[in-house]
Amino acid sequence: MGTPFISFLEPTKLDGYDCNKPHDQQSPHIPRVFCDAMEVREAVFVKEQKFPAELEYDSDDARSCHWVVYASVNRVTEPEQRDPSTGTIVQLRKSETRSQPIGTMRIVPFPHPPHPKQDGWYVGDVLQSRADPDAQAESLSVVEEARQNAALPYGEDRATTFHDGMEPYVKLGRLAVIPEFRGHKISAQLWGAARTWLKENPSYFDPSVTELGMDALKVDAASRIPKWRGLVCCHAQERVVKTYEKWGFQVDEGMGRWFDGGITHVGLFIRLDVKDVPSKV
């Protein structure tokens, strides 16, 4: 493996992305970096973890920032061939070096759907009926319903251990490294790149009051205009919690545990030290 390098993709229109087709069959106007991110996600979440392929791409992808790490990989395209009677080489081995995407992650800006329900059963972050098909689906509160049904719901959420239910946070997600490159701290490099970018661009996701207006922001006072102050959330598979804890994340016990794609997940938070900048107007 050559020295890895990382590419960054800002939020971009992904109109025309067909979730029923793999990454290498998409329209040519879809950014290459995003297709590379999907190559990794398809390998890990779809092929390895059996997550439904048509749900791997979601509405958050176009509004998120994406990081993709690559490695220069040499692969044999045509093997060496020898004459079976004499052992003489009749065709030399041919190979090529490719910059292969080996890991990816994204940062999803606020706002977000409600915090997952304790023991809730989700598919693609959408609350479903219980795993038992005969059980009744859990009902949502009035606040949860409003947030779940709104396109971009700013508003109150239930309070958890590290979130007061109101403060805007960004969410780390879709972190994946293909199997043959695990154990090389690729995920740490991705988080390091994202963390640095977030600290250097603390107001990037803050909404503009002039563009959206107070009504769209669902706030009744200037002091409640959403503004990011360094809070980062992660919905992680329970089996990889220790990795996030090494980076400084803490498990939010108040958020509880839930199932996404049949896999137990927990919530974690970290607060980055960011500079206070004026709100966008």
Side-chain angles (χ1 to χ4, degrees):
M1 181 179 71
T3 303
F5 65 94
I6 297 176
S7 289
F8 169 67
L9 179 68
E10 292 183 304
T12 185
K13 287 185 178 180
L14 297 172
D15 297 345
Y17 190 92
D18 190 340
C19 61
N20 294 303
K21 293 181 179 180
H23 68 278
D24 54 357
Q25 295 181 21
Q26 297 297 327
S27 169
H29 79 271
I30 301 297
R32 173 64 183 275
V33 172
F34 183 73
C35 289
D36 290 343
M38 291 303 293
E39 179 178 342
V40 175
R41 286 161 54 173
E42 288 168 8
V44 174
F45 300 127
V46 178
K47 294 180 181 178
E48 183 180 352
Q49 300 182 4
K50 310 303 180 185
F51 190 79
E54 66 275 12
L55 297 179
E56 177 49 38
Y57 169 82
D58 65 19
S59 59
D60 281 334
D61 277 319
R63 70 190 191 102
S64 298
C65 289
H66 300 265
W67 287 262
V68 179
V69 60
Y70 299 81
S72 297
V73 178
N74 186 271
R75 297 187 182 279
V76 175
T77 57
E78 294 184 31
E80 176 185 272
Q81 294 185 13
R82 293 176 179 267
D83 186 306
S85 59
T86 65
T88 304
I89 297 176
V90 296
Q91 178 180 296
L92 295 174
R93 182 182 65 178
K94 296 181 180 180
S95 64
E96 65 178 12
T97 299
R98 178 198 177 211
S99 293
Q100 177 181 336
I102 61 174
T104 188
M105 67 162 293
R106 73 182 185 185
I107 293 292
V108 185
F110 54 92
H112 304 285
H115 293 315
K117 297 183 73 69
Q118 172 70 36
D119 296 325
W121 191 265
Y122 292 78
V123 175
D125 296 325
V126 178
L127 182 63
Q128 309 290 314
S129 299
R130 290 292 194 91
D132 179 358
D134 296 324
Q136 293 184 344
E138 294 189 32
S139 60
L140 298 176
S141 68
V142 174
V143 171
E144 289 173 329
E145 252 185 51
R147 285 176 60 85
Q148 187 72 64
N149 295 333
L152 289 176
Y154 291 95
E156 186 175 356
D157 203 346
R158 68 180 176 90
T160 66
T161 304
F162 296 116
H163 185 232
D164 63 3
M166 292 297 296
E167 182 179 353
Y169 62 89
V170 298
K171 187 164 68 174
L172 184 162
R174 294 302 199 273
L175 175 58
V177 177
I178 61 177
E180 55 266 44
F181 289 92
R182 291 170 191 164
H184 297 282
K185 298 184 178 180
I186 301 300
S187 58
Q189 292 181 50
L190 285 163
W191 167 237
R195 181 183 61 223
T196 297
W197 182 88
L198 285 168
K199 294 180 72 171
E200 292 176 348
N201 300 274
S203 64
Y204 184 88
F205 294 124
D206 292 350
S208 167
V209 181
T210 302
E211 293 178 6
L212 297 177
M214 299 285 277
D215 291 341
L217 295 177
K218 301 185 186 299
V219 296
D220 54 11
S223 61
R224 300 187 65 181
I225 295 171
K227 180 179 180 180
W228 187 65
R229 292 182 170 83
L231 194 61
V232 182
C233 178
C234 176
H235 292 175
Q237 295 179 15
E238 195 169 34
R239 63 183 179 83
V240 296
V241 162
K242 289 185 178 180
T243 296
Y244 291 97
E245 289 180 330
K246 289 179 182 178
W247 301 342
F249 283 83
Q250 294 178 279
V251 174
D252 190 311
E253 296 293 349
M255 191 178 293
R257 283 159 173 75
W258 66 95
F259 301 91
D260 197 339
I263 300 174
T264 306
H265 281 64
V266 298
L268 303 98
F269 280 95
I270 189 173
R271 184 177 295 280
L272 303 182
D273 182 17
V274 299
K275 294 180 179 179
D276 188 23
V277 295
S279 298
K280 292 181 180 179
V281 296

